Amino acid sequence: MTDTTLPTDDLDALIIGAGFSGLYQLHCLRDRLGLSAQILEVADDVGGTWYWNRYPGARCDSESHSYCYTFSEELHREWQWSERYPDHAEIRRYLDHVANRLDLKRDIRFGTRVTAAHFDAAANRWRVTTADGMQLTAQFLITAVGCLSTANVPDIPGREHFDGRWFHTGQWPHDGVDFAGRRVGQIGTGSTGIQAAPVIAESAAHLTVFQRTANYSVPARNAPLTAEFQDWVRENRAAIREVTHSTPNAHPFRIENRSVFDVTPEQRQAIYEAAWAKGGLQFRATFRDLLLDKTANDTAAEFLRGKIREIVKDPDTARLLADIDHPYAAKRPPIDTNYFDTFNRDNVTLVDVRADPIEAITPTGIRTRSTEYPLDVIVFATGFDAMTGPLLRMDIRGRDGVSLADAWHAGPRNYLGLQVAGFPNLFTVTGPGSPSVLCNMPVAIEQHVEWITDCIAHLRDRGLDRIEASESATNEWMTKVEAAAAATLLPQARHSWYLGANVPGKPRVFMPYAGGMARYRRICDEVAANGYAGFTLGR
Ligand code: NAP
């Protein structure tokens, strides 16, 4: 698989990953700064998370006109999205188009898994090793590995003895899975499970959904885009960008500047109804205090629970689906197409595995404490070892051979989510400690990639060749990350992957920066304007 025509000698920059981040990073470093740069990518094509996540119903929750690059007027004008939310195949087509248009693939080494990256202080070089034994060196190493790319398959006893087939949604077979006539068990009811269940139920003989934590969901109201809207998008790149750059979550709509308590209960109900009818993540933007004040949040939570009870006909099933243990949007809020209605189908059953835990996978199905469920297929919609997982599965070692795993034994620590003290010239695009997963990702990605590019240009212009985050700046930043989360209801979702709580043994640390993308951008700009304050620059 590895492309042997690419040079393996010393490069200016190596980038790991060919998703949204890596592609743009390669373009910036190679075509804007004129550096020698390559991407190493384990998949055999571009796409990043969308290369792997091809499960039934896989579709982006960000609206298509903002789920794309904004750096190029030409790219913007020549690409047209077909639906309000792009599905996985359309996003891959988009990224393929971008890669071809910018002629990026000639500098991507596909089928190449990075296993180790060690910093050689004397040479000021990162020495990178791949699974097929190749060694490459580069001055700068940029991880563009995504936040949700290490599948979390729970270690349930007996899985290896299951006679049927099992799949994790994040590693879905490219030729699909035929559910016709099959009894399917799906574990997990996060954003992925909520997208997958309605589609699986359409073709499976029977679908059993194993729910541990019930979840809110708002209808996506996906639909083809009208020609008028497509024309509007084409002509309004600057206006869309102005909004995505000025809102905390980098979506193309603003959070209403009103409190839940500025309006009467009747007005509030009407606002929630309108947002429910409109669909999508805009529901969270109806009031400014939904994620700040539990009493305010309760009003949205109760509205959404009411909708579940209204849609789901069987009262016991409705009660289980509405028995939600966290504030609305304290976990990443899913949006759906017919999720709750799926439980009105004759061929769908909900199992509450909080009350009746899964004990084992048997050769013929899943056994909970009380019942055996015969199955032909098991779908693990069980999420990811988020944010740190993709970084820590590589053996990354900085100065003095210190491993990233040791540096982060109590949870990730870095400065601005961009650099780790002790790991010079290593940049982590959308790393923990940055807003990343709390945002519409392409906006966060563009900001990081451009900041990194400007930083490298700054070093080169001054004849400098090394940059490293200081310990004191790291300490201050970690305090800010913790304070930003504590000012919200986000840490109240005790089982959330934002906290690492979904992976046994993972340190419980709220990983993303919750202060908002717009504020974060200002902080990063100030750091750069002040000569990269908090970093040590040198030769
Ligand atoms: P997730 O949010 O972590 O949800 C995983 C689900 O699996 C949860 O319901 C979890 O229950 C359950 N689970 C995990 N281990 C289990 C076990 N041993 N037994 C029973 N249940 C178990 O993962 P995800 O749904 O894949 O979503 C991850 C993130 O990916 C999302 O939050 C979102 O950021 C992103 N995503 C985006 C899109 C999109 O844009 N359209 C779509 C999908 C995903 P607990 O809650 O009890 O742990």
Side-chain angles (χ1 to χ4, degrees), residues 6 30 68 94 166 221 225 299 338 344 349 391 414 424 468 484 515:
L6 288 170
R30 189 192 70 180
C68 46
Y94 171 72
W166 66 264
R221 311 264 184 232
L225 294 178
T299 65
N338 300 330
N344 292 327
T349 311
L391 294 167
N414 60 20
E468 182 183 339

Side-chain angles (χ1 to χ4, degrees), residues 156-436:
I156 301 171
R159 195 182 66 215
E160 65 283 14
H161 302 305
F162 182 53
D163 285 340
R165 298 180 73 195
W166 66 264
F167 306 93
H168 186 278
T169 49
Q171 297 169 335
W172 204 256
H174 290 194
D175 48 1
V177 178
D178 182 7
F179 294 111
R182 306 260 158 74
R183 296 161 303 177
V184 182
Q186 175 186 304
I187 305 178
T189 53
S191 298
T192 300
I194 280 175
Q195 286 186 331
V199 185
I200 295 173
E202 279 170 17
S203 61
H206 195 92
L207 172 66
T208 306
V209 176
F210 295 88
Q211 170 187 281
R212 188 165 66 184
T213 306
N215 222 331
Y216 305 94
S217 186
V218 169
R221 311 264 184 232
N222 186 42
L225 294 178
T226 61
E228 291 74 25
F229 187 78
Q230 288 170 330
D231 289 346
W232 179 84
V233 168
R234 198 173 304 110
E235 297 308 321
N236 285 281
R237 182 173 77 106
I240 297 165
R241 199 175 142 112
E242 199 278 313
V243 180
T244 59
H245 278 211
S246 58
T247 54
N249 302 104
H251 284 290
F253 47 82
R254 297 187 196 282
I255 297 176
E256 296 290 342
N257 188 21
R258 64 184 167 209
S259 161
V260 159
F261 306 108
D262 288 343
V263 298
T264 64
E266 294 72 27
Q267 288 168 330
R268 196 182 302 138
Q269 185 74 7
I271 289 167
Y272 286 146
E273 285 290 358
W276 175 269
K278 190 169 174 79
L281 293 172
Q282 298 189 35
F283 191 92
R284 186 179 49 181
T286 45
F287 294 101
R288 65 163 187 263
D289 45 356
L290 284 185
L291 258 180
L292 304 176
D293 177 339
K294 176 71 167 57
T295 318
N297 191 288
D298 286 345
T299 65
E302 200 34 56
F303 175 89
L304 294 172
R305 288 192 188 102
K307 286 291 180 194
I308 298 170
R309 289 189 284 262
E310 231 172 85
I311 297 169
V312 179
K313 298 200 174 81
D314 173 56
D316 289 336
T317 306
R319 185 181 45 75
L320 287 179
L321 288 167
D323 185 15
I324 307 172
D325 67 357
H326 52 278
Y328 166 64
K331 281 185 160 189
R332 161 70 152 66
I335 61 175
D336 70 276
T337 301
N338 300 330
Y339 177 63
F340 294 115
D341 201 32
T342 294
F343 294 93
N344 292 327
R345 297 177 66 110
D346 292 338
N347 70 334
V348 176
T349 311
L350 182 69
V351 175
D352 174 9
V353 296
R354 176 134 320 156
D356 187 15
I358 295 175
E359 288 196 331
I361 295 177
T362 67
T364 54
I366 288 180
R367 194 182 70 231
T368 64
R369 189 183 293 157
S370 75
T371 310
E372 172 111 29
Y373 296 88
L375 300 168
D376 305 306
V377 180
I378 299 175
V379 173
F380 289 96
T382 44
F384 302 89
D385 181 355
M387 306 199 80
T388 53
L391 294 167
L392 294 178
R393 74 176 162 186
M394 298 180 283
D395 174 25
I396 298 180
R397 290 174 190 267
R399 271 191 291 110
D400 310 319
V402 173
S403 76
L404 190 61
D406 282 343
W408 285 5
H409 71 277
R413 295 180 53 72
N414 60 20
Y415 180 35
L416 300 172
L418 279 160
Q419 267 220 334
V420 185
F423 295 75
N425 293 357
L426 169 70
F427 295 97
T428 51
V429 180
T430 64
S434 76
S436 65

